[in-house]
Amino acid sequence: MSKTGFYIASKSYLITKGLESLLREIAMVEIVGKSDSSFKLLENILNKESDFVIISEDMLDPQTKSDLKKYFPYKNKPTLLYLKNSRGYEKAESFFCDSINLYLSKNELLKELNEIIESKKPAGKTSSKSSNLSEREKIVLRHVAMGLTNKEIGEKLFISIHTVTTHRKNITQKLGIKTVSGLTVYSIINGIINLEEVSK
Amino acid sequence: MADLIHLNYLLISVINRFGINLGFGDKSVQEVCQEHDVNLDFFLEIVNSFHDEDYLPEEHLQDFSVGLITDYLSKTHRYYLDVKIPELEKLIIMMVVECYANNKHATLLESFFREYKNELIAHTKREDEKVFPYSIATELAFLGKDNSLIESTAPGGYSIQEYSSEHDDIESKLYDLKNIIIKYLLPTGNQSLCSKVLTELFNLEKDLNDHSRIEEKVLIPKVLLMEKKLKTMK
Ligand SMILES: [Fe+2]
Ligand SMILES: [Fe+2]
């Protein structure tokens, strides 16, 4: 099995060093690159083959934000992780898939990182974890299985067609099922909808 | 010829499509092909492309006539519909009873597969009744033999481009079926039957991939080229 590659993007020397030494303690992880300036950050990230990019708050100037927005989260690799600065609730930018908290203890951090790495492993390689759909995805799947079009789903859930398509892509990738009838069978087997609802 | 089968047993079904039966002793591929009136070069290209997915026979295969290519494709359709699909249907019905006796949802597999079967029937029917006759007619016109056939096989005009853009994939549903069996249903009984069904599904999917590849990478470009040249000839 290949190693999981991390890229670290932070201006802070302490944060970078801290993350490096932390990541070294996780099996099958390697650091493929780092950057201490936000100049051309997107380009630098895309140049390195990484699975995850940890970005700290100080990197997010307006230019970098707009660069990242164009690529993420539509590009499914690498996954961007937000290193947040506070313990409280803080809404991360939409291009981040997940966040980690700067002030966690070492054990907590290791646990979180391990969970994040596990959850991103491609289907088939790991256990049922990869088929864990988010609540939102389950709702979308429910509607797909009932035979609604993307447009109808968008209208029902008050989200754009584009968002519906992104959800559907993720669902297909997580479950390994491409067709609507296949998704319907999956939904019935897993109790996401019941048979009576479909036959209506 | 026997060595060929030892090399890749999946080729048994391919040689059947050419009308070649087992029991060929130590005869060479050439001898067997001669005996059954099979075009040796064509046979070798088909076998190579089936055996090795990275082998790109497109260019070589385009040297053969549309008649030869569509004949092989049609025979492959027959093999799917007359042999593979009924076989699989039986296996799946058995599997629902024997492998998932306690799972009330397992019968969904049956209806799912039936739906797939109907899709495949419609797909191949359109190719056999419309696309292939039109392709052959285009070739005849191109060779300067008979221009009238195009109109009669495709009244109102048709272009292979149309087929190319509508040509839907017939593998996705099989892929889904495989994953449902592999990932989402817990067999309570006969495990070996499950493996058998899966093996069959994998094989059929591979076969279909190879088949679609010939349609898309060989037949379509070839007919497209003839259409273009026919237009400039007018
Ligand atoms: Fe076909
Ligand atoms: Fe086809």
Side-chain angles (χ1 to χ4, degrees):
Chain A
M1 220 173 74
S2 61
K3 288 190 175 175
T4 307
F6 273 82
Y7 189 100
I8 303 171
S10 173
K11 285 180 188 159
S12 153
Y13 174 78
L14 284 179
I15 288 179
T16 309
K17 282 288 164 202
L19 282 173
E20 279 183 78
S21 82
L22 188 74
L23 288 168
R24 289 219 180 85
E25 295 198 16
I26 306 176
M28 299 305 285
V29 159
E30 63 179 341
I31 295 157
V32 295
K34 48 190 177 173
S35 193
D36 59 4
S37 137
S38 60
F39 180 66
K40 290 199 170 170
L41 181 62
L42 176 68
E43 230 180 283
N44 294 333
I45 290 174
L46 294 179
N47 267 335
K48 300 275 183 202
E49 286 269 330
S50 61
D51 299 290
F52 294 96
V53 180
I54 302 178
I55 301 176
S56 70
E57 197 204 314
D58 53 353
M59 301 297 265
L60 297 174
D61 55 53
Q63 178 61 47
T64 310
K65 275 191 202 173
S66 85
D67 282 353
L68 291 175
K69 252 183 211 144
K70 278 179 225 151
Y71 274 87
F72 300 96
Y74 317 116
K75 209 172 175 307
N76 60 18
K77 221 186 130 184
T79 302
L80 303 192
L81 304 176
Y82 183 45
L83 185 65
K84 62 179 177 183
N85 236 332
S86 63
R87 268 192 184 272
Y89 176 79
E90 180 190 347
K91 199 175 176 327
E93 295 283 344
S94 60
F95 46 77
F96 288 112
C97 277
D98 221 321
S99 59
I100 35 178
N101 189 319
L102 182 56
Y103 293 103
L104 289 180
S105 71
K106 182 180 170 187
N107 280 339
E108 284 171 315
L109 275 172
L110 283 174
K111 190 168 159 256
E112 287 227 333
L113 280 169
N114 269 318
E115 272 173 19
I116 291 171
I117 294 169
E118 268 309 302
S119 72
K120 275 287 164 184
K121 282 200 181 136
K125 276 193 184 162
T126 50
S127 56
S128 59
K129 273 222 159 155
S130 51
S131 61
N132 276 352
L133 298 176
S134 71
E135 281 313 307
R136 198 62 174 169
E137 284 162 353
K138 276 187 198 159
I139 295 170
V140 173
L141 175 60
R142 224 182 113 77
H143 288 100
V144 173
M146 309 249 284
L148 268 67
T149 64
N150 285 358
K151 187 161 168 276
E152 290 167 333
I153 297 171
E155 279 163 8
K156 263 208 155 150
L157 303 177
F158 306 107
I159 51 181
S160 70
I161 295 194
H162 183 82
T163 313
V164 180
T165 335
T166 311
H167 280 310
R168 284 194 63 164
K169 259 191 220 150
N170 291 338
I171 294 170
T172 290
Q173 208 197 350
K174 283 188 186 174
L175 301 181
I177 299 182
K178 299 175 184 169
T179 67
V180 172
S181 359
L183 290 171
T184 307
V185 173
Y186 172 87
S187 305
I188 297 171
I189 292 174
N190 289 281
I192 290 169
I193 53 171
N194 54 48
L195 213 63
E196 293 74 52
E197 287 177 287
V198 203
S199 41
K200 255 192 302 195
Chain B
M1 184 64 103
D3 294 342
L4 193 71
I5 302 300
H6 280 293
L7 182 70
N8 182 349
Y9 71 94
L10 292 175
L11 289 170
I12 299 171
S13 78
V14 176
I15 66 163
N16 270 329
R17 278 167 235 177
F18 281 95
I20 299 171
N21 299 321
L22 295 170
F24 27 68
D26 287 323
K27 283 180 205 140
S28 70
V29 172
Q30 189 176 9
E31 286 166 330
V32 175
C33 281
Q34 248 162 21
E35 237 169 61
H36 290 83
D37 209 13
V38 169
N39 183 323
L40 177 67
D41 295 327
F42 184 65
F43 177 82
L44 288 176
E45 291 298 339
I46 292 287
V47 162
N48 272 316
S49 82
F50 190 91
H51 174 65
D52 178 4
E53 275 162 39
D54 296 327
Y55 177 75
L56 293 173
E58 284 83 5
E59 274 175 39
H60 307 283
L61 273 173
Q62 281 186 29
D63 294 341
F64 300 102
S65 74
V66 170
L68 203 57
I69 299 168
T70 54
D71 180 54
Y72 172 71
L73 292 172
S74 281
K75 279 183 181 146
T76 311
H77 289 166
R78 292 266 57 91
Y79 167 74
Y80 296 149
L81 296 184
D82 297 347
V83 182
K84 277 290 118 179
I85 295 294
E87 243 176 57
L88 260 167
E89 199 170 15
K90 259 188 225 151
L91 279 174
I92 287 174
I93 293 172
M94 255 163 72
M95 180 171 78
V96 169
V97 179
E98 289 185 28
C99 307
Y100 307 112
N102 299 320
N103 192 330
K104 59 178 190 293
H105 296 317
T107 47
L108 289 169
L109 292 179
E110 276 177 50
S111 46
F112 186 80
F113 189 75
R114 222 169 297 128
E115 204 179 298
Y116 174 70
K117 178 172 116 180
N118 292 333
E119 236 171 61
L120 189 67
I121 291 175
H123 183 110
T124 53
K125 192 173 149 126
R126 192 165 75 100
E127 291 174 346
D128 285 331
E129 290 178 5
K130 177 142 198 188
V131 182
F132 296 170
Y134 167 77
S135 304
I136 293 172
T138 305
E139 186 177 55
L140 283 176
F142 176 71
L143 296 173
K145 284 184 185 147
D146 191 350
N147 286 356
S148 64
L149 268 171
I150 293 190
E151 184 50 33
S152 69
T153 52
Y158 186 70
S159 158
I160 202 76
Q161 197 78 58
E162 233 173 278
Y163 166 61
S164 162
S165 59
E166 292 169 355
H167 193 219
D168 42 2
D169 80 289
I170 36 173
E171 291 98 53
S172 292
K173 272 217 164 94
L174 280 187
Y175 173 87
D176 289 359
L177 186 56
K178 263 169 31 191
N179 261 341
I180 291 170
I181 297 172
I182 295 173
K183 292 168 80 174
Y184 303 119
L185 281 172
L186 207 65
T188 47
N190 198 339
Q191 303 276 343
S192 67
L193 182 56
C194 289
S195 338
K196 192 172 159 55
V197 172
L198 275 175
T199 313
E200 288 289 330
L201 286 174
F202 272 101
N203 290 347
L204 180 60
E205 196 189 14
K206 186 207 173 307
D207 205 314
L208 282 166
N209 272 324
D210 179 72
H211 176 84
S212 299
R213 189 164 72 134
I214 296 177
E215 288 173 347
E216 288 184 1
K217 297 278 161 62
V218 181
L219 183 66
I220 292 178
K222 189 172 166 79
V223 177
L224 206 58
L225 199 71
M226 291 191 295
E227 277 179 355
K228 264 191 205 143
K229 286 190 180 156
L230 271 174
K231 265 197 199 119
T232 54
M233 272 154 68
K234 269 178 196 163

